[in-house]
Amino acid sequence: MSKTTESRPLAFRMQLKPGVAAEYERRHDELWPDLAAALREAGVYDYSIFLDEETMSLFAVLRLRPDNKKDALPLQPVMKRWWDFMADLMEVHPDNKPVEWPLKPVFYFEG
């Protein structure tokens, strides 16, 4: 696998409820150390979330190591606690996992 393919990001959209953007950002500013460790152990090495203030849509971009275990993250107790903690701020499934809409890559440049 080439370096470019290994580092190509995944992107998805999530949806905030109205009036909670500051609280969403505050909670992420205080990200739990055990959640950060779980993300690293799953192979996430770069993760950013951006807010479109007009629509309250969140745009997430993450990069994974080739040997990642991203699919095991939803099974982690710390991940489930985080979803419960964040559920009041965003659109979620019945188990409090955030609703995610995958975004189709249409352009990629690596200089």
Side-chain angles (χ1 to χ4, degrees):
M1 194 182 287
S2 73
K3 181 179 180 193
T4 302
T5 302
E6 290 174 3
S7 63
R8 190 162 188 160
L10 292 176
F12 54 93
R13 184 177 65 83
M14 298 176 287
Q15 189 64 43
L16 276 186
K17 294 177 180 175
V20 300
E23 179 62 14
Y24 182 88
E25 188 171 352
R26 185 193 69 76
R27 291 184 192 183
H28 279 81
D29 286 345
E30 300 171 0
L31 189 71
W32 305 335
D34 53 341
L35 179 57
L39 291 168
R40 278 191 294 275
E41 289 168 14
V44 177
Y45 69 90
D46 187 12
Y47 190 1
S48 299
I49 301 173
F50 301 87
L51 173 64
D52 177 345
E53 293 179 300
E54 185 176 321
T55 65
M56 297 307 290
S57 290
L58 297 165
F59 174 73
V61 180
L62 62 95
R63 292 179 184 265
L64 299 161
R65 302 203 185 287
D67 60 345
N68 74 81
K69 299 175 182 81
K70 179 185 81 68
D71 293 339
L73 270 173
L75 306 174
Q76 297 290 328
V78 68
M79 190 84 262
K80 293 178 181 184
R81 284 195 332 269
W82 182 257
W83 292 344
D84 292 344
F85 180 58
M86 299 299 290
D88 62 323
L89 305 180
M90 53 197 317
E91 290 185 23
V92 296
H93 294 284
D95 64 354
N96 285 339
K97 180 181 182 192
V99 176
E100 296 178 0
W101 292 269
L103 297 173
K104 176 185 172 185
V106 295
F107 175 77
Y108 180 74
F109 172 81
E110 182 173 330

